[in-house]
Amino acid sequence: MSTFSKEEKVEILSDIVGIKTINDNEIEDAEYLQDLFKKYDIDTEIDKINDKRANLIATIGEGEPVVAISGHMDVVDPGDEDDWEHPPFELTEKDGYLYGRGSADMKSGLAALAIAMIEIKESDALEKGTIKFLATAGEEMEQTGSQQLYENGYMDDVDALIIAEPSETSLVYAHKGSMDFRITSKGLASHSSMPILGKNAIKPLIDFIQAIDKDYQEASKDIKFEKMDFSKLLDLAKEKGRDDIDDDVIESVVSGLVLNNTVIKGGNQVNSIPEVAEAEFNVRTVPEYDNDKVKELFQKHLDKVNDEGGDLKSEMFLDLDPVLTTGDNDLIKTGHDIASDMFDEEIIITPTVGVTDASNLLRGKDEDFSFLMLGPGSTPHQVDENVKKDTYLDFIDYYIKLLTTYINNQ
């Protein structure tokens, strides 16, 4: 017999969607979940980052194997709330869907893991082993929460990791890395009628951007990206891709290194030589062209531009390595078998192009480590973000069966 009714399961999701955690304030979610776990005598610990940001750790069972289940509590900004048909921070049920910021990414997955853990404890279904619940702060921006969990040793004894990021039909065992750079160019202001009295900060920055892009394009053509098999995800990308983009371009983006200049700023007014300019880059890394190689690439062109008279400085504010596991383990097999039985759609086993807290949580783990990502939700970061109510409820049952089957059979 279930501990929670369907209505209570939806109410829990409604409660945490109602807590505004826009890149901040995760401590309120952590305290809510801590109170929920305490009702069922589950040990918890709040791991503070600062007064408003924290991780939550909860544990049931004892001994080996130790399986960590994880989800993040922060959400992205909803943007202009007038664009939403449904209030972003009030879970709204309509036509079988649950609407609200975080309903897909990823408070439905977080709630489903928490409820599944309570259900397993209350039914005494865990014959051996430990389940460690890790709710993280700051995943959407800088992943400070998962970094702190790693640094504080919470992953040291973990034998397998399950993350409930929204993927629904893609069971993920590996993913790309992510890096963010900010390049600042300093110049000297002057009137635009006398540019010889100043130094235009924009020009050396443009030279840098063009040089970086040239090397990136060459690497995309010359390097074979094969350590992650994106073939199944590639088929989906081709189906959904724009008609005017060639398949080989889609394949390069899905399977390989991706480098984008996403922000550029410079100048104050049209008749003044700009004294400062700034560009930001996001890079998605792969094992064949990893984070160290990207750092070398940026440094090479930074030095070159500065040697030619520029004044560029680089700041890296995100540095997450690719997650590379083989996917050849009992967790993936069990997870896929159960998902294929429970869900109507085909479940593919694949790496993915996004990043998760696994980039920090799996630091120091080898390629044979058991890692699985699968969760409810298909509209992350969108206006009127939503999850199907039945999908959310089904994933609770999925996590219960996955955890008990996998752990009890180890």
Side-chain angles (χ1 to χ4, degrees), residues 242-258:
R242 288 175 12 212
D243 294 337
D244 60 331
I245 299 180
D246 293 337
D247 284 354
D248 59 342
V249 175
I250 297 174
E251 183 171 357
S252 175
V253 169
V254 171
S255 301
L257 177 74
V258 176

Side-chain angles (χ1 to χ4, degrees), residues 294-365:
V294 172
K295 292 171 191 175
E296 291 173 5
L297 174 69
F298 272 71
Q299 191 62 50
K300 178 182 81 170
H301 290 294
L302 192 82
D303 291 342
K304 185 174 186 298
V305 171
N306 286 344
D307 287 344
E308 295 171 351
D311 184 4
L312 304 186
K313 289 183 172 57
S314 175
E315 175 191 358
M316 183 175 58
F317 53 100
L318 186 68
D319 184 15
L320 300 173
D321 291 319
V323 170
L324 182 63
T325 74
T326 65
D328 184 15
N329 52 64
D330 288 342
L331 179 64
I332 295 295
K333 185 179 186 306
T334 303
H336 185 258
D337 288 347
I338 294 172
S340 298
D341 287 341
M342 289 187 64
F343 301 122
D344 293 334
E345 299 184 72
E346 179 187 4
I347 307 296
I348 63 170
I349 300 175
T350 180
T352 192
V353 296
V355 296
T356 74
D357 278 324
S359 288
N360 280 320
L361 297 178
L362 295 193
R363 289 183 187 272
K365 308 293 186 186

Side-chain angles (χ1 to χ4, degrees), residues 248-277:
D248 59 342
V249 175
I250 297 174
E251 183 171 357
S252 175
V253 169
V254 171
S255 301
L257 177 74
V258 176
L259 189 155
N260 290 299
N261 170 210
T262 51
V263 176
I264 187 163
K265 304 172 185 176
N268 298 310
Q269 62 185 57
V270 73
N271 62 341
S272 293
I273 297 299
E275 62 182 336
V276 65

Side-chain angles (χ1 to χ4, degrees), residues 8 29 36-37 49 59 61 73 75 88 108 120 132 168 174 190 193 214 223 236 241 248 307 344 348 354 357 381 394:
E8 288 171 328
D29 259 358
L36 178 66
F37 284 132
I49 298 168
T59 308
M73 297 175 284
V75 299
S108 58
I120 290 170
K132 184 185 291 189
E168 291 204 352
S190 72
S193 65
K214 183 174 181 291
I223 299 174
L236 293 176
D248 59 342
D307 287 344
D344 293 334
I348 63 170
D357 278 324
H381 297 205
D394 288 345

Side-chain angles (χ1 to χ4, degrees), residues 23-138:
N23 304 314
D24 199 4
N25 195 41
E26 295 94 339
I27 195 163
E28 286 193 35
D29 259 358
E31 289 170 345
Y32 173 90
L33 291 169
Q34 182 181 53
D35 290 342
L36 178 66
F37 284 132
K38 282 183 176 179
K39 291 177 183 177
Y40 301 93
D41 297 321
I42 293 175
D43 292 333
T44 62
E45 176 187 354
I46 287 182
D47 176 42
K48 275 195 171 186
I49 298 168
N50 57 41
D51 288 343
K52 296 183 70 178
R53 313 200 78 170
N55 301 310
L56 176 70
I57 303 95
T59 308
I60 63 170
E62 60 182 2
E64 298 177 343
V66 179
V67 177
I69 56 176
S70 183
H72 63 83
M73 297 175 284
D74 57 317
V75 299
V76 297
D77 195 296
D80 188 347
E81 296 191 19
D82 290 338
D83 292 337
W84 288 64
E85 180 182 350
H86 310 286
F89 296 103
E90 181 181 325
L91 194 72
T92 304
E93 183 175 346
K94 182 180 179 182
D95 298 330
Y97 288 82
L98 302 172
Y99 292 86
R101 177 55 89 214
S103 58
D105 188 10
M106 62 167 290
K107 291 189 175 182
S108 58
L110 183 70
L113 290 176
I115 293 167
M117 187 166 167
I118 293 168
E119 294 281 7
I120 290 170
K121 180 182 182 294
E122 290 299 289
S123 63
D124 200 25
L126 201 61
E127 297 172 4
K128 62 178 181 179
T130 304
I131 299 175
K132 184 185 291 189
F133 177 90
L134 304 174
T136 63

Side-chain angles (χ1 to χ4, degrees), residues 10 72 78 114 121 127 144 312 388-389 405:
V10 172
H72 63 83
K121 180 182 182 294
E127 297 172 4
T144 51
L312 304 186
K388 287 183 181 178
K389 179 180 178 180
T405 302

